[in-house]
Amino acid sequence: MTTTEAHQSSQPEADTGDPVKVDREAAARNRFRALLAGRNNLLAVWSPHAYRAKAFDFRFLNQHYFVCNSPDAVKRVFLDEHDNYDRKSPQMRHALEPLLGDGLFVSDGELWRQRREQCAPAFESQLLPDFAAVMAESARELAERWASLPEGGRVDMLGEMARLTARIIGRTVFGDDTSEDEAAQVVQGFSEYQRSIEQLGFADSFGLPWLRWFRNPIRHVRSQRSIRKVHAVIDRIIERHHRRPPGSRSTLLSLLLNGETGKPGPARRCPMGATAARNEAIVMFMAGHETTANSLAWTWYLLDHSPRAAAKLHEELDRVLGGRPPSFEDVADLPYTRAVFEEAMRLYPPVPLLSRQARAADRIRDKAIRRDTIVLAIPWLLHRHEAYWDKPDSFIPERFLPDRPRPDKFIYMPFSVGRRVCLGMRFGLTEGVLCLATLAQRFQARLQPGHEVAIECRLTLRPQGGLPMIVEARRP
């Protein structure tokens, strides 16, 4: 038994009934139908075997696939042999390039290394206390708006969290007072983009590139329209950046456009061109709001599903904060709040599938990896793997309390892992804890009666069709 297996075997009892999950048996009954369903929900293709196997491979016509489903396999691809597996899969590249261009999420090789080095100072830990103050203030503004709702006020929790995190990323990393309307435009544009793209197009999935000539023209028009919405907001943020007074603090845009290094002194890098800077700005804006928003929305759903966990969360918030708003200094004193957020990201990883394409032949777990094989690490499977988690489909925040051993980082990877680990990992964790603490201290939310929560997995993992909830003031 591994450390992770032993750690996960002594957990408190979960609530009755597991939260929403994917029907695994349907994939086992009809593989072709599951593949078709995967064009709208990437999680629909995995049968029960995928939640138990340590590694497996398969072929779709000309294209070979290998799934890393154990910590040693993930470590080999994402760390030990990174240079052989640094390319994203064709599906991911073709899905994201229209929106992100050659941005950090899509690029590889030397370009990726240069861009990551230029973007990294915007997320350095010494900036986090100031960023946290903006996070808390933005969450308080939302709390005041919720307080003004009539009794039984209904909200789309997914939309609420997306607009909140969009404003936070604009105000912090971009140093821009992004408006509510602009945040909503980005959220809507990216939602429309995810719906319009072919994430499992037959050309890339089957290794038949000539099929790209037969794309759906209606989807193409819709995706271009959504791209214009997102680009318009980022362009306005960049335009406002150019009007900032001299001596303003370094931001992501000053690192990209002015060649600043984020460190004291006159040193400068070669500034990026306008298009390259916009591409990286879009990557950071989308990654900085979409993933945290989805995780927070799933957290609210899980707290409604688990009165036991909600009671423990509220007890900690009332005891530690005593009715005052949380600050950066409180984050370390809210271990259960953080555990709730981390367990939500385990059950519903914000990016549930990570894909790479092998540059050269290799062997993983005694299986041959051919050149151009698409290699997958799937947090959705790893986070629910029967060998590594006790009650893997249950919501048990206690797994992540400080007195428990941490899960293996090559099994629990909501922010990816290895050299391409998310630059904003500490930012996102702090944001999740502060936003949850600020809002859950004053409110609880319950699912709108009659609404059936379903999972939508396209580029990210979301509640399908939003998350209608009723917000109620708490009385500690």
Side-chain angles (χ1 to χ4, degrees), residues 111-125:
L111 177 63
W112 171 79
R113 282 187 282 273
Q114 291 174 0
R115 296 283 182 83
R116 186 174 174 95
E117 184 180 343
Q118 285 179 288
C119 293
F123 294 93
E124 288 184 350
S125 53

Side-chain angles (χ1 to χ4, degrees), residues 14 48 171 182 254 330 390 392 464:
R171 291 171 168 181
E182 287 174 324
S254 62
D330 295 309
D390 183 47
Q464 186 176 37

Side-chain angles (χ1 to χ4, degrees), residues 62-370:
N62 292 345
Q63 183 60 61
H64 180 227
Y65 294 81
F66 180 87
V67 178
C68 300
N69 220 23
S70 62
D72 57 294
V74 173
K75 182 174 181 287
R76 180 171 183 83
V77 170
F78 283 75
L79 185 63
D80 297 341
E81 299 295 327
H82 169 267
D83 290 346
N84 190 41
Y85 297 103
D86 67 325
R87 284 190 303 170
K88 296 294 179 79
S89 69
Q91 292 96 322
M92 192 61 70
R93 291 198 301 270
H94 293 136
L96 289 172
E97 278 175 347
L99 177 66
L100 306 180
D102 62 356
L104 195 61
F105 198 83
V106 179
S107 61
D108 51 56
E110 185 58 30
L111 177 63
W112 171 79
R113 282 187 282 273
Q114 291 174 0
R115 296 283 182 83
R116 186 174 174 95
E117 184 180 343
Q118 285 179 288
C119 293
F123 294 93
E124 288 184 350
S125 53
Q126 63 261 33
L127 299 174
L128 202 49
D130 289 340
F131 286 171
V134 178
M135 296 169 187
E137 177 60 28
S138 300
R140 286 195 293 273
E141 290 173 7
L142 178 57
E144 291 305 315
R145 189 162 64 76
W146 281 3
S148 68
L149 292 173
E151 186 174 352
R154 300 189 177 193
V155 300
D156 171 17
M157 192 60 79
L158 179 61
E160 295 287 292
M161 295 300 100
R163 288 187 292 275
L164 169 62
T165 56
R167 295 203 74 188
I168 287 172
I169 198 71
R171 291 171 168 181
T172 54
V173 177
F174 287 84
D176 179 83
D177 193 15
T178 310
S179 72
E180 183 80 18
D181 287 344
E182 287 174 324
Q185 185 174 329
V186 169
V187 170
Q188 182 185 19
F190 191 55
S191 296
E192 292 171 355
Y193 183 76
Q194 291 200 66
R195 287 193 296 268
S196 66
I197 59 169
E198 290 277 5
Q199 62 180 1
L200 265 187
F202 291 132
D204 294 322
S205 298
F206 295 150
L208 302 172
W210 54 270
L211 283 177
R212 290 195 200 109
W213 291 99
F214 298 94
R215 67 185 177 188
N216 185 318
I218 296 175
R219 280 180 178 267
H220 178 68
V221 169
R222 288 174 178 166
S223 69
Q224 291 300 308
R225 185 171 58 216
S226 60
I227 288 168
R228 287 193 293 272
K229 282 185 181 180
V230 174
H231 284 191
V233 174
I234 302 301
D235 286 344
R236 288 200 295 273
I237 291 174
I238 291 173
E239 183 182 343
R240 290 196 290 266
H241 168 82
H242 286 307
R243 298 199 299 265
R244 289 180 0 135
S248 299
R249 75 166 176 86
S250 290
T251 67
L252 177 66
L253 289 175
S254 62
L255 297 170
L256 302 179
L257 291 167
N258 305 342
E260 295 179 11
T261 63
K263 295 179 173 59
R268 286 285 189 275
R269 294 189 183 94
C270 180
M272 288 186 192
T275 300
R278 184 175 74 172
N279 289 344
E280 297 305 341
I282 294 169
V283 169
M284 294 302 169
F285 202 99
M286 304 315 300
H289 95 272
E290 167 77 8
T291 53
T292 309
N294 292 350
S295 297
L296 282 168
W298 284 118
T299 301
W300 286 106
Y301 159 70
L302 289 165
L303 289 170
D304 181 47
H305 179 83
S306 174
R308 177 193 66 85
K312 292 189 72 172
L313 172 71
H314 293 146
E315 186 280 328
E316 178 177 85
L317 295 175
D318 295 343
R319 172 172 45 82
V320 173
L321 301 176
R324 62 176 174 76
S327 66
F328 178 72
E329 290 71 26
D330 295 309
V331 171
D333 296 324
L334 297 171
Y336 195 79
T337 307
R338 174 170 171 149
V340 165
F341 187 63
E342 290 198 283
E343 175 72 341
M345 290 192 292
R346 183 189 71 83
L347 284 170
Y348 304 105
V351 180
L353 186 148
L354 304 170
S355 60
R356 300 288 187 267
Q357 188 167 32
R359 293 184 181 273
D362 192 15
R363 291 193 72 83
I364 304 177
R365 284 191 152 250
D366 293 327
K367 289 186 178 288
I369 305 297
R370 304 173 184 87

Side-chain angles (χ1 to χ4, degrees), residues 332-410:
D333 296 324
L334 297 171
Y336 195 79
T337 307
R338 174 170 171 149
V340 165
F341 187 63
E342 290 198 283
E343 175 72 341
M345 290 192 292
R346 183 189 71 83
L347 284 170
Y348 304 105
V351 180
L353 186 148
L354 304 170
S355 60
R356 300 288 187 267
Q357 188 167 32
R359 293 184 181 273
D362 192 15
R363 291 193 72 83
I364 304 177
R365 284 191 152 250
D366 293 327
K367 289 186 178 288
I369 305 297
R370 304 173 184 87
R371 181 173 181 262
D372 290 332
T373 293
I374 294 175
V375 180
L376 304 173
I378 305 170
W380 174 266
L381 296 181
L382 289 161
H383 290 190
R384 293 172 181 256
H385 201 291
E386 294 172 10
Y388 303 123
W389 305 91
D390 183 47
K391 299 185 180 73
D393 294 320
S394 298
F395 177 55
I396 308 175
E398 287 77 7
R399 303 180 204 268
F400 291 95
L401 288 177
D403 61 347
R404 311 292 173 91
R406 288 291 298 179
D408 191 307
K409 68 179 180 180
F410 296 103

